[in-house]
Amino acid sequence: MNTLTNRTRPPPSGRLLSWLLLAAVASLVMALFAVAPPKRVDDVLYDVLIRADGRPADPSILLIDIDDRSLAQLGAWPWSRAVHADMIDQLDQAGAKAIVYDILFTQGSADPAQDQALGAAIARSGKVYLPQFLAEGEGDAPSRVIGPVPSVAAGAAGVGLAHVRFDDDGVVRRMAPFEAHGPALSPDLITVVHRATRPHDGPDPSRSAEQTLLVPFAGPPSIYRHVSFSSVLQGEVPPELIAGRTVFIGMTAPGLGPAFPTPVTPDAASMTGVQLQASILDGLRSGQMIKPVGPFGRVIFTLTLLWLLMAGLLVLPPRANLVLTIGLCLVGLAYSAAMFWLGRTWLSPIATVIGLKIVALVWGWTQLGRVNDLLSHELARIRTIARGRKPAAPVGFEGDVVARQASSLGEAITHIDDLRRFSADALFSLPDATLVANARGRVIAANAAAEALFKSLPPQGASLADLINTLEPLGHRFELDWPPNPKEGSTERHDPIDLHLADGRAYHLQTVFRRDAQGAPAGWIVRLADISILTAAMRQREQALQLLTHDMRSPQTSILALLATTPDAPPELAERISAYARRTLALADGFVQLARAEVTPVFLEPVDLADVAVEAIDEVWPQSAQRKIRIEQVGGDAPLMVLGDRSVLARTLVNLLGNAVKYGPEGSVITVALSERPSASGPTVEVSVADQGPGFSREEAATAFRPFQRFERPGSEAAGGAGLGLAFVHAAIARHGGEVSCRSEPGVGSEFTVSLPRHGVG
C-alpha cells in the first residue's frame, strides 16, 4: 500500500516547479502585452473615463460658426475674401485676444485684390492664426506642407498644421504638438496658438517628451459658447462677448466641412474641425492634456500586480486566491482611474486585468490536474481494497475539499462497478455468439448463444482456435497461436472474417483485442454473428442480377438479331416486336445499374466534375443532334473537384441528359450549369440540367426518383422507358454523400440539380 502511494503521489517539488514555470511564462507574455496592449479595449475604457471626467470648459474660448443661418444670409460657400477681411476687422475692433481660422486659404482668389485686402486685414490685426495641411508625396517622396497663399499669410501672427490623428477604430482621441514630414518637424496650429497666448507662468504640455497627447475633452461641442458668423458681421453680438477671448472661426453647417468621431460625441461624426481645435486648446491651456504612460511604466505596473498574485497563489488557499485575484483586478482599475483623474496620465489596466484572470485560471487548471492525480491515487486504493470488501460510504462532510471529493469518488466507483456488471450481463445476453478469452487465447467466458453453437466442445477453458475449428469452416484452418496479439501501438481490431460451413450456415467472425489500464494485454472479445439469411439473400440477389444480365438479355438480343436478318417480316409487326425487345433490354439494364448503384461499393478518387459533364455531353450528342437539340454548358471553366467514382458519376449525368433529350422538343436548348456554392456543411459543387420539355406537376416531381416511375408525354421521345434512370441517379448520388433535386413546372420544363461535397477545400 505504501509503495502504491509513493509511486502515484507527485513529488513535493512538483508544485513549486509548476509555479516557477507559470510565473516565468506569464511574466514574459504579460510584459509583451504591456508593451503592445490591445488598443480597441483600452480605447473603450478611456472613452468611459473621459465622459465621466466632467471638467468645466474654458470660458475664454468663443466659436464663430459658419452655419446654415450665415449661409442663408451671406450666400453659398465659398464667400468673398472681403467678407473674411471685414470679420477680422470687426473682431479686432471688439478686442479679440486671438483669431484662429480653421479655413484653408491655399488657393488664390479670382480677384487678387481680395487676397491683398484679406492679407492687409490680417496684418492690421496681428493676432490671426492660419492653418496649413500635409499633402502626401507621390511614391517614396515625403509629405509636404501646403499653407495659405503668400499674400494672405504674410501678416499672420502664426501658421501651423491642422492635422487630425485617428486611432485604429477611427475615433480622434489624441493630437501631436509637432508632425514630422521627411526630416523636418512642423508645429500643430493649436500648439502655435497656445504658446503665443499662454501666460508666462502657465502650463505648457506641448513641451513634453511625448510624441502625442490624449485630448481631455471637456464635453460635447455645445459646451463652448458660440455665435453665428452673420450675427457678428452684422453687429448683433456685443463687443464685450468678444473682448479678451480666443475666437475660433470655422464651418459647422452640416455637410460643409469634415466632422470627426470623438469619445464625447453621441454619434459617429458630430464634432467639426473648429470644435476639435477648440477642445485641444482648452486642454493645453488648462494643463489637463493626458500623457500616456510609456512601455517601461506599463511593464512595471503589470509585473507588480502579477507577482503579487503569484505570491498569493503559492501560499494562500484557493478561496483566498479567488479574493486576491478579484482584489488585484479592482486595484488595477482603481489605480488607472486615479492616475487618469488626479495625475492626468493614461495607464491602461485592461491587459493587466485580463492577464491576471488568465493566470489565475491556468493555475486553477494546474491545481485541478493535481487534484485529479490525487483522485486517481484514491481510485487505485479503492480498487485494491474492493477485492476483499466493499468500501464504506462517506459519512457527513468530514475532512477538506479533496477528501470529500475522494469519498464521493468511492461511492461513484461502487455505482460504476454495478454498471460494469450490468454491461457484462447485457453483453452475454446478446443473440450473437460471444466469447471472452484471455491474452493467451483461452476462453474464460461465453454467452448462451456461444454455448449452443459449440455443443461438441465446451467453450470454457478451450483455445479460441480449437473452438472455431470445430465448426469446420470451408477454406479456413486456424493455427493454435490465433489470434496473434497486436504489437503495441498497432490496431487492436482485426479485419472481420466470413466463415461458411458445410451445412450452409455462415458466420461473421470479428475479434477485438483489449488492454488493461496500464496498457498490458488483457484479452479478446470474439463475436460470431449468424449471417446465413443475409448470405442467402445476397446469393439470391446475384442470381437475380445474373438472370437479368444474361438469361433475360440473351433472348431479347436474339430477337433483335432475328428481326434484323428477316427482311420478309411485316414492317409494323417487326417494329413492334423490336420495341418490346428494346424495352425489355432497357428494363434489365436499368435494374442492374440501379441494384449496383445501391449496394456496390464506390471507389472514391478526386474527380473534376466539369470534365465528367463534358464527357456526358459528348456521349448524348448523337441523340441530341438527331433531334436538333442544342446543349449549352454554363460554368465549369475552373476545376470543380469532388470525391467520386468517375464511371458512376458519368452514368448519372448521362441519364439526366438522356431524359432531357427524350422529353425536350425538337430544336430546343438544354442547359448544363456547373457552379460552386456554400452550405452549412461546407462548399458544394452543383450540376444542373435544365430542359424545355413538358415538365412535371408538383405531385409528379415528388415521385420522380421512385423506381419504375414513368411519365408519358404526348409527342415526346420517352415512350418505352423503364422508369429506372432517375432511381439510379438518386441511388448513385446518395452513395457519394450528395443530393439530387427536381424543380419543374408544367409546360415550362424541368431542372434536375446534383449537389456533391467539394473536395480539396481548407
Side-chain angles (χ1 to χ4, degrees):
M1 187 65 183
N2 292 335
T3 303
L4 176 63
T5 302
N6 293 335
R7 186 174 68 249
T8 58
R9 182 171 297 169
S13 60
R15 185 168 184 262
L16 179 59
L17 181 61
S18 60
W19 181 89
L20 290 174
L21 179 61
L22 177 62
V25 173
S27 298
L28 178 60
V29 173
M30 291 183 64
L32 292 176
F33 271 103
V35 173
K39 289 289 297 177
R40 294 297 179 92
V41 184
D42 287 354
D43 292 340
V44 171
L45 179 60
Y46 175 82
D47 294 348
V48 171
L49 294 177
I50 276 291
R51 287 192 289 269
D53 197 9
R55 66 179 184 85
D58 186 353
S60 67
I61 293 177
L62 175 66
L63 303 184
I64 297 181
D65 298 336
I66 301 176
D67 52 8
D68 290 336
R69 175 185 174 185
S70 301
L71 294 174
Q73 295 182 0
L74 301 178
W77 186 264
W79 296 331
S80 169
R81 299 207 170 157
V83 174
H84 296 290
D86 293 342
M87 172 60 73
I88 292 173
D89 288 338
Q90 193 157 342
L91 292 175
D92 192 47
Q93 293 173 6
K97 181 179 180 181
I99 303 171
V100 183
Y101 254 90
D102 189 43
I103 300 173
L104 296 171
F105 298 105
T106 56
Q107 295 181 350
S109 176
D111 183 5
Q114 291 191 8
D115 290 343
Q116 294 175 359
L118 177 58
I122 292 174
R124 285 193 301 273
S125 172
K127 45 192 170 185
V128 178
Y129 298 87
L130 300 177
Q132 302 168 320
F133 74 94
L134 281 177
E136 296 293 335
E138 297 182 358
D140 296 333
S143 56
R144 53 194 180 91
V145 176
I146 298 179
V149 295
S151 58
V152 173
V159 292
L161 291 174
H163 186 70
V164 179
R165 281 181 171 254
F166 294 93
D167 284 345
D168 294 339
D169 57 354
V171 178
V172 179
R173 297 183 180 86
R174 62 192 72 233
M175 63 86 64
F178 292 87
E179 291 287 350
H181 55 95
L185 288 175
S186 293
D188 186 80
L189 175 62
I190 303 305
T191 300
V192 175
V193 175
H194 170 65
R195 291 186 175 183
T197 59
R198 73 178 182 87
H200 292 293
D201 56 347
D204 187 10
S206 66
R207 297 186 183 276
S208 68
E210 301 295 334
Q211 293 183 354
T212 60
L213 299 172
L214 292 165
V215 181
F217 293 95
S222 59
I223 199 171
Y224 297 103
R225 177 171 292 184
H226 58 94
V227 294
S228 177
F229 189 99
S230 60
S231 298
V232 177
L233 200 61
Q234 295 170 5
E236 299 174 357
V237 178
E240 55 269 20
L241 186 62
I242 301 174
R245 286 184 167 84
T246 300
V247 179
F248 285 85
I249 303 174
M251 295 175 286
T252 60
L256 188 60
F260 309 100
T262 66
V264 295
T265 48
D267 50 60
S270 60
M271 181 173 284
T272 63
V274 66
Q275 295 162 349
L276 179 61
Q277 300 283 25
S279 298
I280 295 174
L281 181 62
D282 187 1
L284 289 173
R285 281 184 175 176
S286 63
Q288 299 292 311
M289 295 296 282
I290 301 170
K291 301 177 183 179
V293 175
F296 181 75
R298 295 197 297 268
V299 170
I300 294 299
F301 170 72
T302 299
L303 294 185
T304 299
L305 294 181
L306 171 64
W307 280 97
L308 287 175
L309 175 63
M310 294 306 302
L313 294 178
L314 187 61
V315 300
L316 297 178
R319 291 181 180 176
N321 281 327
L322 175 62
V323 175
L324 176 64
T325 303
I326 297 174
L328 289 177
C329 291
L330 295 177
V331 167
L333 293 172
Y335 183 77
S336 177
M339 291 285 288
F340 178 85
W341 281 317
L342 302 179
R344 310 311 293 176
T345 301
W346 174 233
L347 174 61
S348 173
I350 297 299
T352 303
V353 169
I354 295 176
L356 293 178
K357 291 181 178 180
I358 293 177
V359 169
L361 285 175
V362 171
W363 179 255
W365 291 333
T366 304
Q367 294 304 100
L368 184 61
R370 294 178 58 82
V371 171
N372 182 66
D373 294 339
L374 177 60
L375 294 180
S376 298
H377 164 71
E378 292 297 318
L379 177 59
R381 180 183 64 83
I382 292 175
R383 281 177 174 172
T384 301
I385 63 176
R387 295 173 183 173
R389 59 184 178 87
K390 183 178 179 179
V395 179
F397 293 93
E398 297 181 357
D400 56 15
V401 175
V402 176
R404 292 199 299 272
Q405 289 177 339
S407 299
S408 300
L409 180 62
E411 184 178 358
I413 290 175
T414 302
H415 294 292
I416 292 174
D417 188 57
D418 294 338
L419 180 61
R420 181 190 61 79
R421 286 194 296 270
F422 173 78
S423 300
D425 294 340
L427 173 66
F428 290 107
S429 64
L430 292 175
D432 295 332
T434 304
L435 304 169
V436 178
N438 58 23
R440 298 189 304 275
R442 293 287 176 176
V443 177
I444 58 176
N447 66 351
E451 292 178 350
L453 177 62
F454 300 103
K455 296 179 180 178
S456 59
L457 181 64
Q460 295 286 348
S463 166
L464 281 175
D466 291 340
L467 198 61
I468 297 177
N469 284 334
T470 60
L471 298 176
E472 298 182 355
L474 301 177
H476 281 89
R477 180 69 183 178
F478 296 95
E479 302 297 332
L480 292 178
D481 59 351
W482 183 89
N485 290 350
K487 297 180 180 179
E488 187 173 357
S490 61
T491 179
E492 299 185 354
R493 184 185 297 271
H494 289 187
D495 294 334
I497 302 173
D498 288 342
L499 303 179
H500 297 273
L501 308 186
D503 58 3
R505 290 180 297 166
Y507 291 91
H508 188 73
L509 174 64
Q510 188 171 11
T511 58
V512 179
F513 183 68
R514 307 303 300 169
R515 298 181 183 273
D516 60 16
Q518 286 73 34
W524 294 88
I525 298 177
V526 179
R527 183 175 69 94
L528 290 98
D530 191 344
I531 58 172
S532 302
I533 298 177
L534 178 60
T535 302
M538 293 295 292
R539 188 181 300 111
Q540 292 175 359
R541 172 184 168 276
E542 291 298 328
Q543 292 173 352
L545 291 178
Q546 179 67 22
L547 172 67
L548 289 173
T549 56
H550 183 268
D551 297 342
M552 288 186 65
R553 285 180 57 88
S554 295
Q556 308 307 318
T557 304
S558 300
I559 292 173
L560 292 175
L562 181 62
L563 290 174
T565 57
T566 309
D568 298 334
E572 182 179 355
L573 178 62
E575 180 62 28
R576 181 170 297 181
I577 294 174
S578 177
Y580 290 152
R582 285 194 297 269
R583 183 172 181 179
T584 304
L585 283 174
L587 179 63
D589 290 341
F591 187 83
V592 171
Q593 290 179 4
L594 176 61
R596 289 175 177 171
E598 290 177 341
V599 300
T600 303
V602 292
F603 299 97
L604 301 181
E605 61 179 354
V607 176
D608 185 359
L609 203 57
D611 288 345
V612 177
V614 172
E615 293 177 6
I617 293 172
D618 291 342
E619 185 169 339
V620 300
W621 180 83
Q623 300 95 302
S624 64
Q626 183 179 6
R627 304 195 64 232
K628 299 179 182 179
I629 295 177
R630 189 172 76 258
I631 302 178
E632 295 182 351
Q633 179 177 335
V634 179
D637 299 332
L640 298 173
M641 304 304 294
V642 299
L643 277 180
D645 189 314
R646 190 181 189 91
S647 61
V648 175
L649 293 178
R651 174 52 51 191
T652 299
L653 297 184
V654 167
N655 282 2
L656 293 178
L657 287 170
N659 282 349
V661 171
K662 289 179 184 179
Y663 285 100
E666 289 192 6
S668 62
V669 178
I670 298 174
T671 303
V672 179
L674 297 100
S675 62
E676 179 179 349
R677 298 186 182 277
S679 69
S681 59
T684 60
V685 176
E686 290 188 357
V687 181
S688 63
V689 177
D691 60 45
Q692 298 174 344
F696 301 113
S697 65
R698 179 176 298 180
E699 293 76 12
E700 290 175 334
T703 62
F705 297 102
R706 294 179 181 176
F708 306 107
Q709 186 69 39
R710 298 170 56 220
F711 304 105
E712 302 291 346
R713 294 291 186 266
S716 72
E717 296 295 328
L724 294 174
L726 292 181
F728 171 82
V729 171
H730 185 271
I733 296 303
R735 293 297 300 277
H736 282 76
E739 297 178 352
V740 60
S741 60
C742 172
R743 186 176 63 182
S744 183
E745 184 177 346
V748 177
S750 304
E751 181 179 5
F752 289 87
T753 301
V754 170
S755 177
L756 293 170
R758 180 78 155 85
H759 173 63
V761 177

